[in-house]
Amino acid sequence: VRRAYRMAASLYPLSLVEFRIAGWYANALERSPLTVAERNDLLPELRMWTARGEADLPASLKLGYEPSKLGYLYQMQALAEQSIAAATTKNYAPAEAAFRSALDAVAPENEVHTYSVGLMVRFLYAAMLADVYGADRRADIEHLLRPIMAPPPQAFATYPFSFFEFLKNDAGNAHSWHRDDVTRLVTLVPAFNDFLVRRGIRY
């Protein structure tokens, strides 16, 4: 998959593809254990593809992507910046800025696709804040989770949003990527645990 994305990027550079490549390296960095040599090979690639994606953002934004696609684009940028911060500087400001750009892109989240992307962005943003800052950012975490816990707009109240299927599948996975994230979130915001239980999601 990574090689296919790299080939696509060589044919026509797009932030969407470049951030996906950065995501591959970010995921590889999170595998354990890694040798120092492996880590030293992966980190420059993560930085390079993130920088390329950010450099190509102005051109990508002129392509007429729908708001939900723009939200997803910024979400991928945020995750790449989060991985860089975790591995190096511990400066999460670029990741936060990208998460906020994602939420701005999908606002007012009044149709199925923007609302769906907004659910995932809010969850990932809140998870990062809980991991990095804990109770110091409880108010911000509650603010992010509140729209997830609120009933969706009536116009698509019964729509089967993939976000909740994602959580159900992740919760049932012995190798869950987000178990620690959810554990931190429900500890800080017990109402989120009640919400998940009502949805039939138990970590």
Side-chain angles (χ1 to χ4, degrees):
V1 172
R2 184 198 66 200
R3 287 196 296 269
Y5 281 144
R6 288 181 72 124
M7 183 176 292
S10 70
L11 294 172
Y12 194 95
L14 287 173
S15 296
L16 192 64
V17 171
E18 290 157 340
F19 286 144
R20 281 178 172 160
I21 298 170
W24 189 95
Y25 285 104
N27 289 338
L29 269 171
E30 292 176 11
R31 298 187 194 119
S32 58
L34 288 176
T35 66
V36 172
E38 288 170 333
R39 189 176 183 83
N40 289 342
D41 286 341
L42 292 167
L43 187 54
E45 294 284 346
L46 169 59
R47 280 176 154 159
M48 180 186 73
W49 287 104
T50 302
R52 286 191 184 185
E54 291 172 344
D56 287 330
L57 261 176
S60 294
L61 295 177
K62 295 177 182 177
L63 296 177
Y65 289 141
E66 61 271 24
S68 58
K69 179 68 72 68
L70 289 176
Y72 177 63
L73 181 64
Y74 284 119
Q75 173 189 307
M76 290 192 297
Q77 179 191 13
L79 293 175
E81 286 288 3
Q82 180 181 346
S83 294
I84 292 171
T88 60
T89 63
K90 311 304 180 188
N91 174 18
Y92 290 86
E96 283 209 59
F99 276 127
R100 288 193 295 269
S101 292
L103 292 174
D104 288 344
V106 299
E109 300 172 48
N110 60 355
E111 56 94 20
V112 166
H113 300 297
T114 53
Y115 183 82
S116 183
V117 171
L119 292 172
M120 181 62 80
V121 171
R122 290 172 186 281
F123 171 74
L124 294 172
Y125 188 2
M128 183 188 77
L129 295 182
D131 180 27
V132 177
Y133 304 106
D136 290 343
R137 297 288 297 272
R138 188 193 306 270
D140 293 323
I141 293 165
E142 289 177 337
H143 177 74
L144 287 165
L145 294 180
R146 198 170 296 124
I148 297 177
M149 296 185 287
Q154 188 59 39
F156 40 87
T158 60
Y159 189 86
F161 290 105
S162 60
F163 170 72
F164 299 112
E165 289 305 310
F166 149 76
L167 284 181
K168 283 182 182 178
N169 292 334
D170 186 71
N173 184 353
H175 304 288
S176 164
W177 280 76
H178 293 283
R179 189 175 306 279
D180 290 343
D181 292 330
V182 173
T183 299
R184 283 187 285 263
L185 290 175
V186 300
T187 299
L188 291 168
V189 185
F192 188 56
N193 183 65
D194 298 338
F195 170 77
L196 294 178
V197 170
R198 289 196 302 274
R199 281 271 180 176
I201 301 169
R202 295 179 181 273
Y203 273 82

